[in-house]
Amino acid sequence: MKSGLLARLRAVRAAKRPVALVTRLSDGAQVLIDADDASGDLELDAAQLETLRKRLAGGRSGLLDAEGDIFARIYAPAVRLMIVGAVHISQMLAPMAMMAGYEVTIIDPRSAFASTRRFPDIVMNAGWPDQAIAQLAPDAQTAVVTLSHDPKLDDPALAAALASPAFYIGALGSRRTHEKRLVRLRERGLEDQLGRIHAPVGLDLGGRLPAEIAVAILAEIIRVRYKGAAR
Amino acid sequence: MASELDDILNQAALWHDAGRGVALATVVRTWGSSPRPIGSHLVVNSEGDFAGSVSGGCIEGEVITEALATIAEGRSRLLEFGVSDERAWEVGLSCGGRVQIYIEKIT
């Protein structure tokens, strides 16, 4: 790979856009293709470009031809996790999710909770949860988890998340807490969407410690991402 | 915090900018139960330092040797490795598989 192509690949990654590096394995000719631009010394035919478009959308690397000569490495932007509530469980969940490759943002307008001392190296957003989530625009590669335990923060966050195509929406709280939450969300006119909320949040592993609950939440997010919401 | 993938790409650029020879290995095809998915990267410099993984350990040594040869010759290569049951057992994998690895020099 030419170093200029590597520099461009890193720049597109930094801009969080999907990009494909296509290589002809027999001679090393390459082209870097993203939504705006193609640069390199390899020309693809119409069928290969069509396959590549599908691969880009699905984020799936692989060969583009039956001969096994044209390989496309798809670099998809990181999957995102938005955590509402800078609470104890968040202190465990955020670093675990980052290790698993998620780009994590913690949303909490309460400055006492959302201090960088409690959350070193983690991106914090001090906006009100509904506005913060609307601004961060969850897509189909985003999970949203509400952990604040405060309906003033969690309810608007859930309403904003339900208005998005987020692949996972989870809410902390017991079954009883969740029943009350569902009543409040119904009053907001969200009846049709309520089935998308995973609550109580996380797989039922039986753990009680914040780190154990964080594992259960991350495990459920991973399962839904790869296997879908059906149990 | 950059992802593991960006760490690997950044490492490749850092080594290249520092004047080291650099090769990038990529899993392009797998058969059976491969230890690392298609697209996994391993970056190697001319001194034998490496970052990333293409196999979870079983064939890394051979890939690094081939990467050093790629850096020396400048020619890309496509290699196929069988992950034997014996070696797979050593690194804790349940069974064998085959992987095709493309190794290219950063020029």
Side-chain angles (χ1 to χ4, degrees):
Chain A
M1 188 191 329
K2 294 196 173 79
S3 57
L5 216 54
L6 176 60
R8 193 172 150 67
L9 170 59
R10 291 168 62 225
V12 179
R13 293 274 311 159
K16 303 187 190 309
R17 293 203 308 265
V19 59
L21 177 67
V22 186
T23 305
R24 188 160 59 207
L25 301 174
S26 52
D27 66 357
Q30 283 179 322
V31 61
L32 192 69
I33 297 178
D34 70 349
D36 308 340
D37 194 31
S39 52
D41 53 7
L42 175 63
E43 290 250 357
L44 299 182
D45 64 33
Q48 289 165 344
L49 278 171
E50 180 55 31
T51 310
L52 182 65
R53 263 194 288 277
K54 286 182 194 146
R55 291 285 177 79
L56 261 172
R60 203 159 45 85
S61 300
L63 298 164
L64 293 186
D65 63 336
E67 297 77 41
D69 190 30
I70 308 288
F71 173 72
R73 174 54 164 105
I74 310 297
Y75 297 92
V79 180
R80 291 186 292 164
L81 170 62
M82 299 171 191
I83 302 172
V84 176
V87 297
H88 199 172
I89 295 171
S90 315
Q91 286 177 295
M92 308 292 165
L93 178 58
M96 285 181 192
M98 284 160 74
M99 274 187 258
Y102 290 75
E103 191 181 289
V104 176
T105 305
I106 295 181
I107 299 164
D108 200 320
R110 304 167 299 179
S111 52
F113 283 82
S115 78
T116 50
R117 206 155 50 80
R118 279 162 51 80
F119 293 92
D121 305 323
I122 293 169
V123 176
M124 309 293 292
N125 185 314
W128 281 97
D130 50 350
Q131 289 163 12
I133 288 176
Q135 173 214 333
L136 292 168
D139 57 18
Q141 301 295 311
T142 305
V144 180
V145 176
T146 62
L147 302 179
S148 84
H149 236 299
D150 181 344
K152 285 201 303 298
L153 299 177
D154 284 355
D155 285 6
L158 289 169
L162 289 170
S164 80
F167 74 88
Y168 178 91
I169 300 171
L172 184 70
S174 66
R175 281 178 207 287
R176 226 164 61 91
T177 307
H178 188 56
E179 288 305 319
K180 291 184 198 159
R181 175 160 46 221
L182 291 180
V183 171
R184 292 194 304 274
L185 292 174
R186 273 190 199 103
E187 286 166 6
R188 287 170 177 256
L190 295 166
E191 177 71 46
D192 299 347
Q193 297 287 324
L194 297 180
R196 290 173 63 200
I197 302 175
H198 292 261
V201 70
L203 297 184
D204 184 8
L205 303 180
R208 286 286 174 272
L209 298 173
E212 292 172 337
I213 294 167
V215 168
I217 295 170
L218 186 56
E220 186 170 57
I221 292 171
I222 292 168
R223 198 197 46 145
V224 171
R225 181 177 171 208
Y226 290 102
K227 302 208 157 180
R231 292 198 180 246
Chain B
M1 191 171 104
S3 72
E4 187 206 359
L5 171 61
D6 290 301
D7 287 341
I8 293 169
L9 298 175
N10 292 342
Q11 186 65 74
L14 276 173
W15 280 334
H16 183 267
D17 292 348
R20 305 249 172 93
V22 181
L24 182 69
T26 307
V27 177
V28 298
R29 204 170 185 181
T30 64
W31 294 264
S33 61
S34 78
R36 293 277 290 156
I38 290 173
S40 299
H41 284 312
L42 176 74
V43 63
V44 182
N45 75 17
S46 42
E47 283 155 43
D49 300 322
F50 66 95
S53 169
V54 286
S55 78
C58 17
I59 57 167
E60 248 75 353
E62 284 155 85
V63 172
I64 289 164
T65 303
E66 292 289 340
L68 291 172
T70 303
I71 293 169
E73 295 164 22
R75 186 178 54 84
S76 299
R77 58 199 68 203
L78 186 62
L79 304 162
E80 209 171 293
F81 294 93
V83 183
S84 74
D85 287 353
E86 198 181 317
R87 299 192 92 159
W89 179 256
E90 281 170 21
V91 295
L93 303 167
S94 54
C95 50
R98 268 196 305 153
V99 292
Q100 203 172 48
I101 308 237
Y102 180 72
I103 308 179
E104 60 190 310
K105 184 178 180 176
I106 308 295
T107 59

